[in-house]
Amino acid sequence: MEHPKVAVINEDTLALIGMKTLLDQVMPIMETHTFNNLEELLQDGEEHFVHFFVSQAVLLNNRDYFMQRRYQTIVFTPTDDPAAQPTGFHCICCHLPEKQLVRRLLALEQRAHGHGQHLPPQSVPTVEKKLSKREIDVLRLIVKGYINKEIADKLNIGLTTVITHRKNIVTKLGRRSVSALTIYAVMHGYVDVSSI
């Protein structure tokens, strides 16, 4: 089955690459394509994209095009103030801390696609090893923002045990950052996005 495709359109190449990387982690089932402007997208053929992630500048320069596709369009804005965001579009502030931005993208993915039930099945990488029950407990607390000492207290285990579990989680999953672990935990149902 073919993977659904999303388009990221941003005139800032560095932001474009960053958004693609983040979306590939948050929505690994999607195939992400990047474009510096609408003309590039139109040359590629826009009809096969299920979503358009665009900068506010791209939206403003091509408002009529995206108004016709407003339910498919997500606008990255420089502010979280609803009064300063374009009306009629779903907006996400791109100047949020990484953890908040990831949380918003995960919430968007879960709300829009019913926990992925409308998407094709996702294959699990063969290099990924299964986490133990205790590692899952530690992972849940990590993504909720607890530090090692708090995790040890909550689970009634030693601090060195928590550190060992963290190392095992990172080794098994191949993910180091809390944001990457958060994405993994939400996508695999270990935590609900509303609880982080």
Side-chain angles (χ1 to χ4, degrees):
M1 180 178 232
E2 190 174 312
H3 292 290
K5 296 177 178 146
V6 296
V8 182
I9 312 162
N10 194 322
E11 294 164 346
D12 179 337
T13 303
L14 189 57
L16 189 68
I17 293 167
M19 273 322 305
K20 179 184 180 351
T21 302
L22 192 55
L23 289 172
D24 285 346
Q25 289 179 19
V26 174
M27 296 183 270
I29 196 67
M30 299 290 204
E31 190 177 303
T32 309
H33 297 258
T34 58
F35 305 94
N36 285 112
N37 53 54
L38 182 61
E39 290 73 32
E40 285 182 14
L41 171 79
L42 295 175
Q43 288 172 359
D44 192 61
E46 85 281 4
E47 69 281 346
H48 57 269
F49 291 106
V50 295
H51 289 295
F52 303 97
F53 289 87
V54 302
S55 67
Q56 190 164 351
V58 169
L59 173 72
L60 295 176
N61 291 333
N62 306 281
R63 189 166 180 84
D64 292 340
Y65 178 87
F66 290 108
M67 272 305 287
Q68 295 172 18
R69 294 157 183 83
R70 70 179 174 272
Y71 299 114
Q72 295 171 266
T73 303
I74 297 94
V75 183
F76 286 102
T77 62
T79 178
D80 214 12
D81 180 7
Q85 295 178 335
T87 307
F89 292 92
H90 187 83
C91 299
I92 297 176
C93 177
C94 59
H95 292 250
L96 295 172
E98 181 182 7
K99 186 173 180 177
Q100 288 180 0
L101 183 59
V102 166
R103 186 181 311 136
R104 296 246 179 117
L105 287 169
L106 286 168
L108 174 69
E109 185 272 336
Q110 288 200 342
R111 278 196 312 267
H113 295 285
H115 300 283
Q117 65 187 356
H118 305 298
L119 298 173
Q122 180 180 342
S123 62
V124 177
T126 54
V127 295
E128 194 172 280
K129 298 175 186 159
K130 187 174 172 132
L131 298 178
S132 70
K133 181 184 177 335
R134 185 54 95 188
E135 289 166 346
I136 292 169
D137 293 340
V138 171
L139 176 65
R140 285 181 176 134
L141 294 173
I142 290 169
V143 302
K144 289 182 180 182
Y146 291 97
I147 60 172
N148 290 346
K149 173 80 171 98
E150 293 170 325
I151 294 170
D153 292 344
K154 280 198 159 296
L155 297 178
N156 202 22
I157 58 178
L159 184 59
T160 55
T161 304
V162 172
I163 293 168
T164 300
H165 284 312
R166 280 187 90 129
K167 286 179 186 174
N168 291 342
I169 292 166
V170 167
T171 300
K172 287 181 178 182
L173 302 182
R175 292 168 167 90
R176 290 198 163 281
S177 73
V178 173
S179 293
L181 292 173
T182 301
I183 292 165
Y184 178 87
V186 171
M187 297 305 287
H188 286 80
Y190 293 133
V191 293
D192 187 272
V193 73
S194 62
S195 70
I196 56 175

